Amino acid sequence: MSALVFAGVSKSFGPTIALELLDLEVTDGELITLLGPSGCGKTTALRIAAGFEFADAGTVAIGGSDLTRVPAHRRNIGMVFQSYSLFPNLTAVENVEFGLRTRKIDKVERRRRAGEMLELVQLSQFADRYAHQMSGGQQQRVALARALAIQPKVLLLDEPLSALDAKVRLQLRDEIRRIQTELGITTLMVTHDQEEALGIADRVGVMSNGRLEQVGAPSDVYSHPSSAFVARFVGSMNEFPAEVVDGTHVTVHGVAVPTAAAATGAAGSTATLLVRPEDVGVEGTGDGPTGLVGSVVATTFQGATTVVSVRLDVLDLLVSANLASSKTDHLHPGQRAAITIDGTRAVLEP
């Protein structure tokens, strides 16, 4: 069953179209991230789900009920903001109790449930501390506990990790996923951080200019992007000028590259072939008169893998290859090298 459904949702602010015909279903217990650049519409979608904004067209349903015109305070949703939004004059446990108090839950039950939520986010020992006495990561855990205390049907996360430093962000990301899985709560999260989106979600929705470009499992969105925009935005890409030969081949400077992506272009047409760094091979070689040959510019060791940058002679193009470190000992700056292209997962942009 779908816990949160957007059906044909559109929203404009004056002449600016923020959302255009958004169709998205979040099933029970699923965590979906909406990923995209600033202004793509992801935050507008979240605010419409929360009831902070109303759609100009389309419907929003939560738990099977149409809540399109229902205000925020009458929707059973929990929300965690980027800025924590804790009350500075309340302790951690009082902050967690706040939503329960507004719902007229008796004091004993409020304190019991707040205690459970603080234990869930591993902050029981900080129950009596105020916001200024806690780190950013601890404050955000309190905000998460407060959102969960009301037992919402849907949890909404508005870039909850962006204000934290890298190490804390990674720890809290894993903690959010643990809690979400443990509780089985339906969650919609927005972020502009692709690593964050791919690392936490069951499915990722990539947005651009108010439209949902693609939605799917993180591995599918990364390995099989539906458009050049998705390919460029999720991960990094090498871009080669190419000519379409037929439905299964293109050429890059006369070198044949098998790729199913060629089916999207007419024979003889020019295009840009987008290839992941891990789909580029590099071999040391002497000077060669033809082919994709150049010089190694840099090697960047990253543990199990090493990024090798090669500038090609014929195209004056800088190409990045992500290789197993064990296979790069012979490659060093200045070394002559030839590259190979695996077009299996390539995207062709006419």
Side-chain angles (χ1 to χ4, degrees):
M1 178 180 175
S2 296
L4 172 62
V5 179
F6 296 88
V9 172
S10 297
K11 178 68 177 180
S12 296
F13 297 98
T16 303
I17 298 175
L19 275 183
E20 188 172 4
L21 299 175
L22 174 64
D23 291 311
L24 179 66
E25 295 188 14
V26 188
T27 60
D28 278 336
E30 184 179 32
L31 192 159
I32 285 186
T33 55
L34 293 181
L35 173 68
S38 297
C40 70
K42 59 187 185 297
T43 298
T44 299
L46 196 77
R47 291 179 62 81
I48 288 174
F52 298 147
E53 303 280 356
F54 288 153
D56 297 333
T59 60
V60 177
I62 295 177
S65 300
D66 185 349
L67 301 181
T68 308
R69 312 304 297 180
V70 175
H73 68 276
R74 292 178 55 199
R75 302 187 186 196
N76 186 20
I77 58 99
M79 188 153 184
V80 179
F81 300 91
Q82 174 183 343
S83 58
Y84 318 145
S85 299
L86 298 183
F87 298 104
N89 60 320
L90 300 181
T91 63
V93 69
E94 289 168 343
N95 265 284
V96 177
E97 286 183 344
F98 183 80
L100 300 172
R101 185 181 296 113
T102 61
R103 285 165 173 74
K104 310 299 183 184
I105 304 298
D106 70 79
K107 184 176 180 179
V108 174
E109 176 61 14
R110 286 201 314 263
R111 188 54 56 100
R112 183 193 67 79
R113 201 180 301 176
E116 286 182 352
M117 291 302 101
L118 286 175
E119 184 176 351
L120 183 67
V121 298
Q122 300 177 352
L123 284 181
S124 297
Q125 68 273 35
F126 296 102
D128 296 324
R129 291 194 184 182
Y130 294 90
H132 72 274
Q133 297 173 318
M134 293 182 286
S135 68
Q138 289 166 347
Q139 290 182 60
Q140 196 62 298
R141 288 174 187 240
V142 173
L144 178 61
R146 180 178 60 187
L148 294 171
I150 61 172
Q151 298 176 329
K153 289 183 178 178
V154 175
L155 177 64
L156 304 177
L157 305 175
D158 185 11
E159 303 212 33
L161 309 179
S162 60
L164 305 173
D165 64 52
K167 184 176 180 180
V168 175
R169 187 161 62 240
L170 182 59
Q171 291 173 340
L172 192 52
R173 184 190 79 186
D174 293 342
E175 192 70 5
I176 287 173
R177 184 54 164 163
R178 176 189 68 81
I179 292 169
Q180 185 271 335
T181 303
E182 185 175 323
L183 296 180
I185 187 169
T186 305
T187 303
L188 181 65
M189 173 176 168
V190 304
T191 180
H192 63 274
D193 186 314
Q194 57 177 281
E195 182 179 344
E196 187 176 292
L198 296 173
I200 197 173
D202 295 306
R203 288 191 294 154
V204 176
V206 183
M207 298 191 68
S208 173
N209 297 320
R211 284 186 168 272
L212 188 62
E213 292 270 339
Q214 183 176 358
V215 61
S219 59
D220 288 338
V221 172
Y222 182 84
S223 299
H224 306 289
S226 62
S227 67
F229 171 83
V230 175
R232 289 188 175 103
F233 192 80
V234 181
S236 58
M237 281 287 184
N238 292 294
E239 303 192 16
F240 298 96
E243 181 176 327
V244 177
V245 177
D246 54 36
T248 58
H249 289 79
V250 300
T251 61
V252 177
H253 191 65
V255 177
V257 178
T259 170
T264 63
S269 63
T270 58
T272 300
L273 188 69
L274 305 176
V275 182
R276 296 285 185 204
E278 54 266 35
D279 292 331
V280 174
V282 181
E283 292 295 336
T285 181
D287 288 325
T290 60
L292 301 177
V293 179
S295 298
V296 176
V297 176
T299 59
T300 305
F301 180 72
Q302 297 183 335
T305 61
T306 294
V307 177
V308 179
S309 300
V310 178
R311 185 169 293 281
L312 299 181
D313 299 338
V314 291
L315 300 172
D316 193 28
L317 185 69
L318 188 65
V319 178
S320 292
N322 196 356
L323 308 174
S325 294
S326 60
K327 298 181 179 181
T328 61
D329 290 343
H330 63 295
L331 299 173
H332 52 81
Q335 166 78 42
R336 296 294 292 169
I339 71 162
T340 57
I341 300 172
D342 179 354
T344 308
R345 302 189 302 171
V347 174
L348 199 69
E349 181 181 39

